[in-house]
Amino acid sequence: MTPTTPDRNGTAGVGDLGWSLAVVLRNWHERTETALAELPHGGRGYHVLAALSRGEAPTQAALAEQLLIDRSVMTYLLDDLAAADLVRRRPDPDDRRVRRVCATDHGRAVLARVNALVEQAEERVLDGLDPETRSLFRAAAARAATTIQESSPDTDPCAAVIRVTGGEPPSSGGAGGRSGTRPGSGRHGTG
C-alpha cells in the first residue's frame, strides 16, 4: 500500500472515510497482533479470553455464536487455550453433555497483562490525536460499530478486518509458533 491514496478530490486521504479507516485499522491490526503474539491464535485468542472474563461461564456453543466463530474452529481454539492453561472446560451441572468454558487464574493474569499491551498499542495508533479527540474518536467508532452490528447482527467483524488488512485468515498462531490448517479455520480471522 502506498503511504497516501488520493481521495475523490485529489487530496491524499483527506475526506475519504474508507481510506482513513483502512489505514487506522491496518495499523491497529499490526500493532495489536504484535502485542498479542504470546497468546495462542493472537487476536482471536484474546477475544475469547476477554469474553470469558466477563460474567458467567458460557457454553462452548454460545461462546462460538457470540464471537461469530465456527463451532469446529472454536473447539481447536479452546484446545490450544486450554493447553496453555488459559481456559478450562467444565461439565454443566444441569447437563453433563454440555461444556462450560471459563478463564483460569493464569488466564485472567495473562489477560490483564495483554490488556495493558493492547492499550499501549492503541495509544500508539492514535498518537496524532490530542486526548479529547482520541476520546471522541473512540466514542464515535464504538457508536458506529454498535449501530452497524445491531442493524446487521450476522456481519462478521473478523472477516472485515481480513478484507481491509489484506491478510489471510490465520489458521493458528501465538504461543508455540504452530502453523497449519485446521478444519474450518478459514471462516474467521483475527477479529
Side-chain angles (χ1 to χ4, degrees):
M1 182 171 112
T2 59
T4 58
T5 302
D7 72 359
R8 292 177 286 268
N9 300 320
T11 308
V14 177
D16 186 341
L17 179 63
W19 179 85
S20 300
L21 292 175
V23 170
V24 171
L25 181 58
R26 180 178 295 275
N27 190 263
W28 175 87
H29 175 75
E30 290 168 355
R31 290 181 184 276
T32 58
E33 282 303 310
T34 298
L36 299 171
E38 76 176 270
L39 287 178
H41 301 273
R44 189 187 289 180
Y46 173 71
H47 289 294
V48 169
L49 196 54
L52 294 176
S53 71
R54 301 183 289 263
E56 279 191 41
T59 65
Q60 186 168 316
L63 182 63
E65 185 175 323
Q66 174 191 348
L67 296 177
L68 299 171
I69 297 174
D70 183 87
R71 287 181 182 201
S72 63
V73 174
M74 182 60 77
T75 299
Y76 293 112
L77 179 55
L78 291 175
D79 287 346
D80 291 346
L81 291 170
D85 189 34
L86 300 171
V87 305
R88 68 180 166 85
R89 296 176 178 107
R90 59 179 170 80
D92 185 302
D94 298 325
D95 185 349
R96 292 182 6 189
R97 296 169 297 173
V98 174
R99 298 283 179 241
R100 297 225 171 241
V101 186
C102 58
T104 63
D105 289 340
H106 175 67
R108 284 188 286 282
V110 168
L111 180 62
R113 186 175 67 249
V114 296
N115 274 338
L117 295 173
V118 168
E119 188 174 311
Q120 290 170 5
E122 289 180 352
E123 287 302 310
R124 286 193 301 271
V125 169
L126 301 176
D127 265 348
L129 305 175
D130 62 72
E132 183 179 349
T133 305
R134 285 180 195 200
S135 180
L136 289 171
F137 178 82
R138 287 176 186 271
R143 183 66 191 132
T146 300
T147 301
I148 291 166
Q149 193 65 32
E150 287 172 352
S151 69
S152 180
D154 292 333
T155 298
D156 179 358
C158 294
V161 170
I162 291 166
R163 277 192 303 274
V164 170
T165 61
E168 290 295 318
S171 57
S172 66
R178 291 186 358 210
S179 62
T181 303
R182 292 190 163 154
S185 63
R187 178 164 181 231
H188 298 287
T190 57

